[in-house]
Amino acid sequence: MPDLRLAIAAIISFVASSFPVPKEKKLVWSDEFNYTGLPDANKWNYETGYIRNKEMQYYTRARKENARVENGNLIIEARLDSLQVDGKIAPVTSACLNTQGIAEWKYGRIEVRAKLPSALGTWPAIWMLGTDRANSGWPKAGEIDIMENVGFDPETVHTNIHTEAYNHVKKTNKGKATPFPKAYENYHIYAIEWTEEKIDFFLDDKMVFSFANEHTGNATWPYDKPFYLILNFAFGGTWGGQKGVDLKALPLKFYIDYVRVYQ
C-alpha cells in the first residue's frame, strides 16, 4: 500500500510539473479618480484643437468645463460653447485625454469602467495607438479600438483593430459590432487582454472579438511594440455625424469610473 501511495504521488508531481501554473496578473498602472479637480497631470496628457474625422468639437487642454474629476469619476463633457480660439469662436468643445509620453504598455489587460453618453452625434471612444506613430505613421504603427459607440446606433458597441493591411481606409479592418442594449444607462467594463499571440476584446465579462497574430510581419501585427491609451468624446464627424447631430442635446457627459492596466 505505501508503494502505491508513493507511485500515485510521483505521478501527480510529474503531471503538475508538466503544466506550469499561469502567472497572476499584477496591477501596474491605474487611475481610480478618487480626487477632485483636473485630471492628474502625472498620468494624463491632452490632444488639443480640431484633430480628425471632420469632427465638430474643439479639444481643449486642462479646462475643467471639458475634463474634470469629481464624485469618483473622470468626466469628459461635450458642450455648446463660445470659446475664443485664434480669433474665432469654437461652438462645440470637448476633451481628449491620453497617456502619450507618460505611460505606455506592451501586452496586458487594459480595463476601463465607463458610462457612455448618447444622443444624435455622440462618438465616445476608448482606444490605443502605437507609440511608433510619429515615425511609422498611421496605420503602420497600429490602432486598437477597445470601445466605440455612435449616437445614431446607441445599442451597438464597436471593437476593432487597424493595421497597414487591415484598416477602414482599405475597408479591410477587422472587428465586431456587438449588440449591447442600453449601454448608455449603466456603467460597463470595456477591456482587452493582449498577448504575443492575440488580442481578446471584452464587454463586461464576455469576450466579443479576438484578433490573432498571423505571424506575417508588421503589416498585420504591429502589436509587439508599446501603445498608449486614449479616452475621448467626439461629436459629429464622418462617422458620429453620419445621420446628423442634435446640438440641443448638449451638454453631455462621458463618465469614466476607473482605468486599470494589469500585466
Side-chain angles (χ1 to χ4, degrees):
M1 197 64 161
D3 291 342
L4 180 58
R5 290 198 193 100
L6 287 172
I8 292 171
I11 291 169
I12 291 171
S13 176
F14 173 77
V15 170
S17 65
S18 301
F19 297 94
V21 177
K23 291 181 179 179
E24 194 171 317
K25 289 185 177 68
K26 179 182 177 183
L27 184 68
V28 296
W29 190 93
S30 71
D31 199 337
E32 303 294 327
F33 303 115
N34 54 3
Y35 53 95
T36 300
L38 289 172
D40 187 346
N42 294 311
K43 295 183 176 181
W44 299 104
N45 264 327
Y46 299 84
E47 276 191 309
T48 57
Y50 294 106
I51 305 296
R52 57 187 152 256
N53 302 321
K54 299 181 181 178
E55 295 157 7
M56 294 181 68
Q57 81 289 337
Y58 181 92
Y59 283 136
T60 64
R61 175 181 296 275
R63 184 175 185 246
K64 66 178 181 176
E65 290 88 347
N66 298 117
R68 60 190 178 275
V69 177
E70 61 185 34
N71 300 321
N73 283 262
L74 167 65
I75 297 173
I76 302 178
E77 182 171 329
R79 55 190 290 126
L80 283 176
D81 222 318
S82 55
L83 184 68
Q84 287 273 354
V85 179
D86 298 329
K88 298 179 181 179
I89 297 293
V92 179
T93 59
S94 186
C96 176
L97 278 67
N98 63 59
T99 65
Q100 185 176 21
I102 297 176
E104 58 191 43
W105 307 276
K106 184 174 77 169
Y107 313 138
R109 177 179 170 90
I110 291 85
E111 176 179 304
V112 179
R113 185 173 186 263
K115 182 180 178 184
L116 308 182
S118 186
L120 194 62
T122 57
W123 185 0
I126 302 165
W127 53 302
M128 303 182 79
L129 284 173
T131 57
D132 192 45
R133 188 167 64 101
N135 298 317
S136 300
W138 185 96
K140 285 185 179 181
E143 176 178 330
I144 305 170
D145 297 329
I146 300 172
M147 184 287 303
E148 288 184 281
N149 177 263
V150 286
F152 66 82
D153 185 18
E155 305 205 6
T156 302
V157 167
H158 300 264
T159 49
N160 286 283
I161 61 91
H162 297 277
T163 71
E164 184 180 2
Y166 303 131
N167 63 75
H168 73 273
V169 175
K170 292 182 176 179
K171 298 183 179 178
T172 55
N173 63 291
K174 305 283 187 177
K176 181 76 177 291
T178 303
F180 206 42
K182 298 184 179 179
Y184 46 84
E185 286 192 351
N186 295 294
Y187 287 85
H188 296 281
I189 295 173
Y190 304 95
I192 60 167
E193 293 190 359
W194 168 24
T195 70
E196 296 176 4
E197 294 299 326
K198 63 179 180 173
I199 306 173
D200 294 332
F201 293 73
F202 295 84
L203 300 182
D204 290 327
D205 293 326
K206 182 181 178 183
M207 189 176 76
V208 295
F209 171 60
S210 184
F211 177 68
N213 185 352
E214 299 175 0
H215 299 284
T216 53
N218 190 81
T220 59
W221 185 264
Y223 304 116
D224 52 3
K225 304 178 184 71
F227 276 59
Y228 61 90
L229 180 67
I230 306 166
L231 306 172
N232 73 279
F233 181 4
F235 194 79
T238 52
W239 190 20
Q242 208 171 84
K243 297 190 178 182
V245 299
D246 182 5
L247 289 170
K248 293 180 181 178
L250 298 176
L252 289 165
K253 299 173 183 177
F254 181 16
Y255 293 89
I256 297 97
D257 179 32
Y258 65 72
V259 179
R260 296 173 184 166
V261 179
Y262 300 85
Q263 288 184 326

